[in-house]
Amino acid sequence: MLIGHYGPAFIIKAIDKRVPLWGLFIAVQVPDIIWGILILLGVEKANINPSLTSNPLDLSYMPYSHGLLSCIVYSLLIVAILLLFKTKKQIAWWMGLAVFSHWLLDFLSHRPDLPVYGDTMKIGLGLWNYPTLAVIVEVGIFVVGAIWYAVAVGGFKRWAAVLFWLFVVVAVIASSVRGDAMSPSSASLVAISALCFYVVATIIIYIVEKNERRPN
Ligand SMILES: [Zn+2]
C-alpha cells in the first residue's frame, strides 16, 4: 500500500488542525521509509515475483521495518521524542497514531509477510489477493481523506488548489495502474522510487498546507 497510507494523515489533520499535515505525511510512511533504507543497505530482503497479485514484491524478510513490535516501538518513540521537544501532548499522540496506522493498513492489505516479533509469526489479511478490491479500498481511503481534509480547511488559495487536486489525481491514476501491470526489475528500484515519491509528496503537501484558506 502506498497512497492509502496518506488517508489517515488527511483525516487526522481534518479532525485536529493543529497537527501539521506535512509531519503526518512523514509519520504515516515511517515503516516504509525504514524499509526502503534497509533494502538499499541489504539488511531486509525482498524479491520480485511477477506472479504475485497487486504487488510483485515478495517481502521475505522485514522484521525491523514492518514487525508489529517494531512498529509499536516506532510509534511510541515518535511520541516520546515529540514530548521531549515540548510538542503538545495531543499532537504527539496523533503523530504516534499516524505511524501505527501504517502497520494497520499494511495488515489489511499484505499477504502474511508481517512478522509479529523478530521474523516470526507472519500475518496479513491479504487484500492484495483481490487486486481490483485492493485498488478500490486504497484509492477510496486516500480520496475520502483528501476531500475531508480539503473541506475541513475550507479549500486552498487558487494555485495551491490546482497543485493539491493535481497531486490527488496523479496519485490515484498512478495507484490504479501499478501492481500487476508493473514489473520492476529489482526491489532496490522499488525502494528508491518509493523514497523519492515520499519526499516529493511531502514537499507538495507542505506547500499546499501553507496555502489553506482556514489555517490553524
Ligand atoms: Zn509498509
Side-chain angles (χ1 to χ4, degrees):
M1 185 170 274
L2 187 73
I3 64 164
H5 291 297
Y6 292 134
F10 284 131
I11 293 168
I12 290 172
K13 164 84 197 214
I15 293 172
D16 188 340
K17 293 203 272 304
R18 296 170 304 168
V19 194
L21 183 60
W22 69 268
L24 289 166
F25 255 53
I26 298 172
V28 294
Q29 298 292 11
V30 160
D32 274 13
I33 292 168
I34 294 172
W35 177 83
I37 294 167
L38 294 182
I39 283 290
L40 293 175
L41 291 175
V43 176
E44 295 201 336
K45 310 272 179 234
N47 294 299
I48 302 295
N49 179 352
S51 70
L52 292 172
T53 50
S54 291
N55 184 341
L57 280 175
D58 175 14
L59 299 157
S60 53
Y61 183 70
M62 46 176 195
Y64 307 109
S65 66
H66 281 75
L68 172 58
L69 196 71
S70 318
C71 289
I72 292 173
V73 170
Y74 298 143
S75 306
L76 295 176
L77 207 62
I78 294 278
V79 176
I81 291 169
L82 289 175
L83 290 178
L84 208 70
F85 282 90
K86 308 257 180 268
T87 306
K88 283 200 179 78
K89 224 190 229 169
Q90 251 176 326
I91 297 177
W93 281 104
W94 278 126
M95 288 295 216
L97 182 69
V99 174
F100 194 66
S101 74
H102 183 103
W103 191 89
L104 291 176
L105 286 180
D106 272 5
F107 175 59
L108 171 73
S109 49
H110 280 226
R111 289 170 275 268
D113 54 25
L114 302 165
V116 171
Y117 171 78
D119 196 37
T120 59
M121 292 173 68
K122 296 194 182 183
I123 52 176
L125 297 177
L127 183 62
W128 278 348
N129 293 327
Y130 310 91
T132 309
L133 187 64
V135 168
I136 292 171
V137 170
E138 171 156 23
V139 167
I141 294 171
F142 176 74
V143 171
V144 166
I147 294 173
W148 190 345
Y149 159 64
V151 170
V153 298
F156 315 97
K157 288 164 200 159
R158 210 160 57 135
W159 61 269
V162 175
L163 181 64
F164 179 70
W165 293 113
L166 198 66
F167 167 70
V168 171
V169 169
V170 170
V172 166
I173 293 170
S175 281
S176 307
V177 294
R178 72 186 248 273
D180 306 64
M182 276 168 63
S183 182
S185 53
S186 72
S188 302
L189 194 69
V190 177
I192 292 170
S193 327
L195 289 172
C196 291
F197 174 72
Y198 300 148
V199 172
V200 172
T202 305
I203 292 171
I204 290 173
I205 281 306
Y206 179 82
I207 297 168
V208 166
E209 193 172 27
K210 292 276 166 265
N211 288 283
E212 292 166 352
R213 279 199 192 281
R214 242 186 339 222
N216 201 66

